[in-house]
Amino acid sequence: MPFSSSTDRNGQDIWRYYKQDEGLVKNRWVQNHKGDWYYCGEDGLLLKSTWLHDSADGKYYYLGGEWAMLHDTTTPDGYKVGSDGAWVKDGQVVIETVANN
């Protein structure tokens, strides 16, 4: 099974995603069999209860308390996210690109 759970030193559940021929997945999106999206951070842990700025498309996404990206809802901190999960402000998807130096 590609998703693996364990408990950290504080007793909190943490999740990782492993791909068969690659091992621990880092810094990218993964999808489960139900179609839910998750983001694996630089340490390989799935992000939870936090915003992610995806530099690939410049959009912001919220990863909920159950680790999955929220969509078609309002986030716990009061922002709207659309059907693709991206933050929507005044009816428009918010996109911010970061210039490479």
Side-chain angles (χ1 to χ4, degrees), residues 19-20 30 70-71 75 85 88 94 98:
K19 194 162 182 178
Q20 186 170 359
V30 295
L70 300 185
H71 60 88
T75 64
V88 176
V94 176
V98 179

Side-chain angles (χ1 to χ4, degrees), residues 42-93:
E42 61 186 42
D43 57 2
L45 296 177
L46 271 62
L47 299 185
K48 175 184 178 182
S49 302
T50 192
W51 283 96
L52 167 75
H53 178 250
D54 190 339
S55 59
D57 64 9
K59 297 176 184 179
Y60 291 88
Y61 300 91
Y62 191 85
L63 289 302
E66 297 296 319
W67 295 274
M69 177 193 72
L70 300 185
H71 60 88
D72 298 307
T73 193
T74 301
T75 64
D77 53 356
Y79 295 90
K80 294 194 182 298
V81 289
S83 61
D84 68 349
W87 172 28
V88 176
K89 182 178 179 182
D90 299 326
Q92 299 292 318
V93 172

